[in-house]
Structure formats: structure tokens, C-alpha cells
Amino acid sequence: MDMIKRYIQAVHILLPSGHSQDILAELEEDIRSQVEDQQERVGRPLTDTELSALLKQRGNPLKVAASYGRQRYLIGPELFPAYWLVLRVAMAIWTGIWLVATVGMGAFSQVFQATHPALGLHPSALPLLDGLLQAAIWVTIAFIAIEQANAHYRFLDNWDPAKLPDLEPASDARNAVATRVGAAIELAMVALAIGWLVRATSWDMTWNWAGLHFALTPTWHPLFWAMIALSAYGIVLSMAKLLDPARTLAREVAYIIQDLGTIALFAAWTTAPILLEISGGGMTAEKAAEATRATNMGLQIGFQVTAVVLAVTTTIKIAKVIYRHWWRSSQIGRSAAQQLL
Amino acid sequence: MAHTIKSHDALESLRLELRRGCLPLAVLSALREEQYGYSLRKLLASQGLEIDESTLYPLLRRLESQGLLRSEWREQESRKKRFYKLLPIGEKILHQLTADWNAINVALGTVMGHKADPTEVPEPSSTSSTITL
């Protein structure tokens, strides 16, 4: 019988507060009634083994105590799928940023290469783990807050079927994977570009090759910030595409703005004087000036050609957007109106 | 083998779900006559409806807090026991639930293509018929 008291005590410790004495008294009475019942059946007092089996059958005290409590969740079954999705996306984004930044810095930054041997993957894994942990903590806290708020205000019940996202065309759905892969590559490229730019602005952008010394002139510096801003904008666009590959008008316009910015940047370069200085290699000052002039002319031509190509492709892109979103819809509207008439 | 275990688990889970919904109706019906906890469990078990005590007692508390039952501690056979009895409002609710149950029964019979016949249902094993929420 001592075992029954110990069982009741174990339930008591775990029982939610309020009415606990009442619950325990009833529980004990139920156990004693069951014991009496069994003793009557076997015609003798129960052994400790039999009593132990009887209590075991009733369940762990933790489970018994929990059955009297209100079911509580930090993140309930309604929100859990959304929580899990957001957590995975947040972790994937952070891992992507870390990977691209590490590889980019390892490829282009001499300081990073010096302080992080073997591409820095091992020493820079700590920021990755730290970021993943931070992402998990903040996403979890956010969802706990949403869960608690929803428990009070039930705002998840206030939704409008008319505001659900538009149906994606079947072909878009099929291409979603390809679009995401493209976005991931785009993201990697832009992050590499940022890595290169960070190096260019943080350290003297000079290098030696075949006995020659190359140095970017200060003319680059104001344009670097424009390039960084454009690259950061590109990262936001790629991430958005990675999360939701659906082609929308807003996204197409956002990409056109990026293209226009890039054209402006190349146009600015074409008007810049000397961008790159060449010296060394046993050249006289005159020869070096000649080499610098020729190289910069080549760069100018390259920038001009690139700007023109970009201008043409962007014009085509704008024309396509206008056709897809306005001209065709107005045609459809017109033909529908004609049919009605 | 794994497939058999999986389908057995699925059956148990569905069976539990099926029986869980009818539990308040069974308890309310049984409490038209006064019972204490253990006697109620025995009564239901004798009629083929074994209920885990950690399911029954919280349910009794819930039904009492909803005003459908009353309970009182009384001494019987030199031990204090808590007796439960259906209140008039509980009677009304039971009446409505019984009507709902019958309507579901008829609808199910129609959906399944025949009238529900309890004799067609195989006797479940004692362990699998215990209801645990």
C-alpha cells in the first residue's frame, strides 16, 4: 500500500495547481477500489509485483497528471507547419549567405586568405553555427508570440478566400525548380561580386602580374559604393526569387530597375578618365603611360559595348513586360468586349 | 512485417478516434443513475466500453464544470467516494446528443450501403477497446 501512496505523491508533484487534493483523493479511491476488486477475485491480498503491475497499467504519473491539465503548446499544430517552413527557409538563407561570403572572400580577399587558411571553411564555421542558432531562436520566439496572440485573438480565423495568391500557371509550376536553381546561381554570383568589391574598397586594389604592377585609380571609389548598392539590391531580388519563383509584374519591374542601374553604372565608367595604372616591368615612364592609356582605352570600349548590349536587352525586356501585362490584357479585354457586343 | 505493424497502428489510431467521440455520450447515459468513479468504469467496461481512468476522470470534471453533472463525496463501505449524477440540463443535452447519434448512425448506414448492424462488428480485444485520450 506504500506503493499506492508513492504513486499518488508522484502524481501530486506533477499535477497542475488547483483542485489537486480533490483529484488525488479520487485517484487514490479509484486505485483502492481496483485493488479491492482484484483481491476479491484472487481471494488474497495482492503481492507487490501484482500491485506494481496494476499501477504500471494505469500509466506513468507524468501522463496521469498531464491528463488533468489543459493542453498547452508553445507552438501548436495549426502553426507548426508554417513554423517549420520558415525555420528551414531562414536556415537555408543563412547557410547560403555564409557559403557565398566565405567562398567569395576566400577567392578574392588576400587578408581573408591569410587569416583563414583552407578557404576559411573551418574557422568561419562558427558564424554559420551562430547564425543558425540565432535564426532558430528568433523564428521560434516569433512563432511562440504568434501562437499566444492567436490563442487570445484567433486572428488566423479572420481570412479572406478572395485574398489568396493567384493561381500559378502549370508551366510556371513546372519551371519553379529551374527558376530557384537560377536564383541560387544568381545569388552566388552577386555575393561573389560583393566579396570582390569589399576587397577593393577595404584594401589597396593593386596586383602584380608578369613583372607588371597594376593599380586601380581613386576614380573607382565613388563608383564602388554604387556597385555595392546594386549588388545588395541584386541579393534581395535573388532571395525573393528563391523563396517564391512566381513571375510577377512587381518582380519584373524590380529587375528592370536593376538593369537600368547597371547601365547607368557602365555609362559612368565610360566617361571616367584613367581607371587602371600600369607600371614596373622595366618600363620607362613614357612606356608605362602608353600602356596605361591603351589599356584604359580597351576598358572604355569594353564598358561602352557592355552598356549598349545591356541597353538593348533591357529595352527588349521592357517591351515584353508591356506586351505581357498591358497590351495583351487590353487586347483580351477588347476581344471580350467585341464578343459581348 | 513493417507494413503489417503500420496498418495495425493505423487501425488502432482510427479505432481510438472513432470511439473517442462517443465517450461523453456513454458517460452521460450511464450517469442517469448515480455512480462513483470506479463503479462507472466497471459499468461501462461490462457493456464493452473500457475507459482508461486518466481519460474518464478528466472527462467527468469537464462535464461537471459545464454544469451537466453534480458530484458529492459520501462515505460508502467505510471509504469516502465521489458520486456523480446527471443534472436536468445534462438530461437535455443527453437527449439532443442521442438524437444526433441516431442521425449519424442512420447517415452512416446509408453511406455504407446498409443499415448499421452491431452484430456485424467483430468483438474488439480488451486492450484495444480501452479508450485513452
Side-chain angles (χ1 to χ4, degrees):
Chain A
M1 289 301 161
D2 177 51
M3 211 185 292
I4 296 176
K5 286 280 182 201
R6 281 160 50 208
Y7 186 83
I8 297 294
Q9 180 183 270
V11 174
H12 185 198
I13 294 166
L14 303 162
L15 210 56
S17 55
H19 309 290
S20 61
Q21 290 308 324
D22 205 35
I23 291 170
L24 294 171
E26 189 168 35
L27 182 63
E28 185 170 353
E29 202 292 310
D30 191 84
I31 296 171
R32 290 191 189 281
S33 292
Q34 192 178 0
V35 169
E36 268 183 16
D37 217 23
Q38 282 202 18
Q39 283 176 342
E40 215 168 280
R41 221 176 304 144
V42 294
R44 58 170 171 78
L46 294 187
T47 63
D48 278 357
T49 316
E50 286 166 334
L51 186 58
S52 172
L54 183 145
L55 292 176
K56 197 169 167 57
Q57 197 196 357
R58 299 182 78 94
N60 191 306
L62 182 70
K63 182 189 135 198
V64 175
S67 68
Y68 286 94
R70 188 167 56 87
Q71 202 160 24
R72 281 176 289 190
Y73 304 103
L74 280 180
I75 298 170
E78 284 177 4
L79 273 179
F80 193 82
Y83 162 71
W84 189 235
L85 174 71
V86 172
L87 186 63
R88 281 184 300 167
V89 169
M91 288 185 158
I93 287 175
W94 179 252
T95 305
I97 290 172
W98 170 82
L99 197 62
V100 169
T102 304
V103 172
M105 296 288 278
F108 295 109
S109 164
Q110 286 169 354
V111 173
F112 190 84
Q113 284 163 6
T115 53
H116 298 76
L119 209 57
L121 288 175
H122 172 62
S124 60
L126 274 180
L128 169 70
L129 296 176
D130 184 49
L132 291 178
L133 193 63
Q134 293 269 351
I137 289 170
W138 288 111
V139 169
T140 305
I141 288 173
F143 270 85
I144 289 172
I146 295 170
E147 177 69 43
Q148 300 312 313
N150 185 49
H152 281 97
Y153 304 111
R154 302 300 309 167
F155 54 78
L156 286 181
D157 296 337
N158 296 327
W159 65 285
D160 182 359
K163 289 180 183 167
L164 287 171
D166 290 339
L167 203 58
E168 284 183 21
S171 59
D172 281 5
R174 277 200 301 274
N175 290 334
V177 175
T179 311
R180 280 203 165 102
V181 170
I185 293 168
E186 203 173 85
L187 188 64
M189 299 296 285
V190 178
L192 282 172
I194 283 198
W196 181 79
L197 288 169
V198 166
R199 185 196 176 220
T201 49
S202 304
W203 300 280
D204 283 340
M205 187 62 182
T206 59
W207 67 96
N208 296 305
W209 180 73
L212 296 171
H213 180 73
F214 297 87
L216 290 176
T217 64
T219 315
W220 280 91
H221 289 169
L223 297 174
F224 282 152
W225 295 110
M227 285 171 71
I228 285 176
L230 258 178
S231 303
Y233 181 70
I235 281 190
V236 173
L237 289 184
S238 306
M239 278 183 177
K241 199 199 270 184
L242 201 61
L243 291 175
D244 177 14
R247 187 166 61 184
T248 60
L249 176 61
R251 175 165 298 162
E252 286 180 300
V253 171
Y255 270 98
I256 287 171
I257 291 169
Q258 187 191 32
D259 289 348
L260 293 173
T262 311
I263 292 167
L265 198 63
F266 275 98
W269 274 333
T270 58
T271 60
I274 303 298
L275 294 168
L276 184 70
E277 280 179 342
I278 304 171
S279 59
M283 285 192 294
T284 60
E286 201 176 300
K287 276 275 183 195
E290 180 61 26
T292 298
R293 195 186 62 78
T295 307
N296 279 282
M297 190 184 283
L299 281 173
Q300 297 278 8
I301 293 168
F303 290 147
Q304 283 167 2
V305 170
T306 310
V308 169
V309 170
L310 270 175
V312 172
T313 54
T314 307
T315 307
I316 294 170
K317 212 183 269 184
I318 292 170
K320 277 183 176 174
V321 170
I322 291 170
Y323 168 76
R324 199 178 299 122
H325 292 282
W326 286 288
W327 191 81
R328 196 172 60 175
S329 59
S330 68
Q331 286 294 103
I332 291 166
R334 203 173 299 149
S335 74
Q338 279 169 356
Q339 278 180 5
L340 281 173
L341 291 169
Chain B
M1 183 67 181
H3 177 72
T4 315
I5 292 170
K6 217 171 180 182
S7 64
H8 178 263
D9 287 351
L11 172 66
E12 282 307 306
S13 156
L14 290 170
R15 181 181 276 167
L16 194 69
E17 217 169 292
L18 186 67
R19 294 163 67 91
R20 193 180 285 166
C22 64
L23 193 55
L25 182 59
V27 169
L28 290 174
S29 292
L31 287 178
R32 279 178 295 194
E33 286 188 15
E34 193 176 62
Q35 302 284 344
Y36 64 94
Y38 189 69
S39 69
L40 176 60
R41 270 177 67 198
K42 279 180 70 175
L43 173 71
L44 292 172
S46 70
Q47 292 171 1
L49 203 65
E50 285 203 26
I51 303 177
D52 197 338
E53 56 281 355
S54 61
T55 299
L56 177 66
Y57 289 111
L59 173 64
L60 286 170
R61 285 177 180 276
R62 185 155 56 88
L63 294 174
E64 189 180 9
S65 70
Q66 288 169 336
L68 310 185
L69 308 176
R70 65 157 172 76
S71 74
E72 61 174 340
W73 285 94
R74 276 207 315 269
E75 200 163 294
Q76 190 191 60
E77 293 162 0
S78 70
R79 270 222 315 272
K80 285 189 96 176
K81 291 173 180 174
R82 188 177 192 167
F83 287 86
Y84 294 90
K85 178 87 171 79
L86 200 62
L87 287 170
I89 182 79
E91 289 269 11
K92 275 186 193 168
I93 298 274
L94 173 63
H95 183 71
Q96 284 164 352
L97 285 178
T98 306
D100 287 349
W101 172 260
N102 290 333
I104 290 169
N105 218 15
V106 170
L108 263 179
T110 309
V111 169
M112 294 192 298
H114 59 86
K115 282 198 167 183
D117 181 359
T119 57
E120 285 183 15
V121 181
E123 191 75 23
S125 67
S126 60
T127 49
S128 63
S129 64
T130 303
I131 298 175
T132 312
L133 290 182

